[in-house]
Amino acid sequence: MNLLRVNNLYFGYRKGEEVLKNISFEVTDGITCILGPNGCGKTTLMKILATLLKYDKGQIIFNDLDYANPSQLMEIRKLIGYLPQRFEAYSQLTAKEFLYLAINLKCDKKFLDKTKMETMINEIIEVTGLGDYACKKIKTYSGGIKQRLGIAQALIGESRLIIVDEPTASIDVQQRKAFKDLINSIKKERCILISTHLLEDVEVICDNLIVMNKGVVEFCGMYDKFLQKYEGCIWKIQIDKQNYSNLKKEFFVIEERDFGKYIEIKVYSLQKPALGNVEECLPTLSDAYYLTLNLKGDGSFQ
Ligand code: ADP
């Protein structure tokens, strides 16, 4: 089993302006989604984990190898597969040619003869469903196929930590489904980190969840636990319009719908609101995420 440990990590692009503040988490095999609004520091964290940026303070350990130890860094890099947000590949090459190039750059040639390279490439092409495109030039690929190539190059070698930054931002719904199937098929014995700001990505693929906001980790754990945090605190209330503004002052409103004669609102409250038409709701991912981003640590909202 692989294990990534991040302890008290700090990073800033400029002195005195911290983008990541005291980040700590632990993840093992399976898919971990890093969810957070734009600008909260996801890409920065992904770049640090991919060893493209150096952190200022803290510790990162992957499978007992320390990012801060220069003699272990090359070993760590061999275990990392990284797909950046904007993945570009030489458009005149075919997928096969590009993967050959990537193998030559990443793998130790002492252990890889031509036959082994060929086998590795064929296996990766098979896993990523690139068979029909393997000998076609990359410039002819759609966004979804190019992204599969991005995953293919991330799988090269002994990749055990796969880092994928905002993968579904630029592909359509159909391609998104294919991408999720692909990610699920490669998660065995790999630690996969996927950053996203889209809740639908999280609902379908994640085993573990890290929620970030403004450079800090607000939650890290099993997806179900994230929802459980808010069980017993979410209520649906039907109320007439006269009483609506008072209610808004008293409770933190998550959602509201105007039905003409009355308004239906979903609120956060530790106790059942002492009102007429109140029903408890199970938290959805959207509820839990909204509350995590907006409630203060002590549960207050004003
Ligand atoms: P996310 O991926 O969650 O959208 P980013 O990691 O891209 O967030 O950005 C976090 C913060 O760091 C933002 O305020 C952004 O403006 C800033 N930032 C990102 N890249 C750079 C850079 N190269 N130089 C300076 N500031 C940057």
Side-chain angles (χ1 to χ4, degrees):
M1 195 171 65
N2 302 285
L3 175 63
L4 172 70
R5 281 188 289 140
V6 176
N7 295 322
N8 310 106
L9 192 80
Y10 286 83
F11 173 81
Y13 289 96
R14 282 178 289 267
K15 233 181 166 179
E17 288 177 35
E18 278 162 352
V19 168
L20 301 179
K21 298 164 217 161
N22 202 15
I23 299 271
S24 296
F25 61 85
E26 252 185 51
V27 288
T28 57
D29 290 355
I31 300 172
T32 300
C33 279
I34 302 183
L35 174 69
N38 284 331
C40 74
K42 300 182 297 296
T43 296
T44 305
L45 177 61
M46 300 303 244
K47 283 184 181 166
I48 290 173
L49 294 174
T51 76
L52 298 171
L53 283 176
K54 262 191 172 168
Y55 49 97
D56 299 330
K57 231 166 60 178
Q59 189 187 42
I60 310 178
I61 308 279
F62 183 63
N63 289 357
D64 296 326
L65 299 166
D66 190 339
Y67 275 54
N69 184 338
S71 67
Q72 297 184 341
L73 200 58
M74 286 316 286
E75 224 175 311
I76 291 171
R77 284 189 172 138
K78 285 191 185 134
L79 298 174
I80 292 174
Y82 174 56
L83 177 57
Q85 212 167 345
R86 279 180 212 90
F87 166 68
E88 289 302 334
Y90 297 110
S91 61
Q92 291 297 334
L93 299 184
T94 66
K96 242 182 160 169
E97 288 165 343
F98 180 73
L99 292 174
Y100 263 114
L101 179 67
I103 284 191
N104 274 293
L105 290 172
K106 189 172 180 187
C107 299
D108 200 332
K109 272 172 261 158
K110 268 190 288 189
F111 306 108
L112 261 190
D113 58 25
K114 210 157 185 293
T115 323
K116 276 189 189 153
M117 270 196 206
E118 185 83 25
T119 310
M120 185 187 287
I121 287 178
N122 287 339
E123 277 171 12
I124 291 176
I125 283 176
E126 161 107 38
V127 170
T128 50
L130 277 170
D132 292 346
Y133 305 89
C135 297
K136 289 185 182 150
K137 290 198 172 180
I138 294 166
K139 67 179 177 187
T140 64
Y141 293 3
S142 67
I145 300 301
K146 210 158 132 194
Q147 200 181 47
R148 274 195 228 175
L149 178 64
I151 294 291
Q153 62 80 33
L155 291 177
I156 276 173
E158 292 296 306
S159 299
R160 290 288 163 255
L161 176 59
I162 308 276
I163 299 164
V164 189
D165 195 5
E166 294 269 2
T168 54
S170 57
I171 53 175
D172 66 28
V173 176
Q174 201 98 355
Q175 292 168 337
R176 232 177 243 183
K177 163 89 179 72
F179 173 78
K180 285 166 189 169
D181 292 345
L182 170 57
I183 284 291
N184 269 312
S185 73
I186 61 164
K187 73 177 184 181
K188 201 167 159 245
E189 290 169 22
R190 290 194 179 98
C191 186
I192 301 183
L193 282 175
I194 300 179
S195 77
T196 185
H197 62 274
L198 301 171
L199 297 179
E200 57 263 41
D201 287 349
V202 176
E203 268 167 335
V204 185
I205 49 177
C206 101
D207 302 312
N208 284 304
L209 181 64
I210 294 173
V211 180
M212 283 181 70
N213 191 23
K214 298 178 186 158
V216 303
V217 167
E218 298 279 4
F219 175 86
C220 174
M222 304 261 289
Y223 171 70
D224 297 346
K225 290 265 181 304
F226 183 56
L227 302 192
Q228 278 167 18
K229 251 180 83 165
Y230 295 102
E231 263 178 28
C233 306
I234 299 180
W235 312 90
K236 203 181 266 179
I237 305 171
Q238 288 180 358
I239 192 156
D240 49 42
K241 289 185 177 172
Q242 296 96 290
N243 296 321
Y244 172 62
S245 48
N246 279 341
L247 194 94
K248 257 187 126 170
K249 280 184 214 142
E250 204 177 328
F251 296 103
F252 184 81
V253 176
I254 302 167
E255 223 175 76
E256 56 187 66
R257 285 174 77 189
D258 191 337
F259 284 93
K261 281 193 189 139
Y262 64 92
I263 296 178
E264 189 175 271
I265 63 175
K266 208 190 233 187
V267 301
Y268 168 83
S269 168
L270 291 175
Q271 272 95 42
K272 184 176 181 180
L275 292 156
N277 205 345
V278 180
E279 186 190 313
E280 187 184 333
C281 302
L282 281 178
T284 63
L285 176 61
S286 159
D287 299 335
Y289 183 49
Y290 187 67
L291 289 169
T292 300
L293 297 189
N294 290 291
L295 283 182
K296 291 184 188 164
D298 62 0
S300 69
F301 59 91
Q302 277 169 335

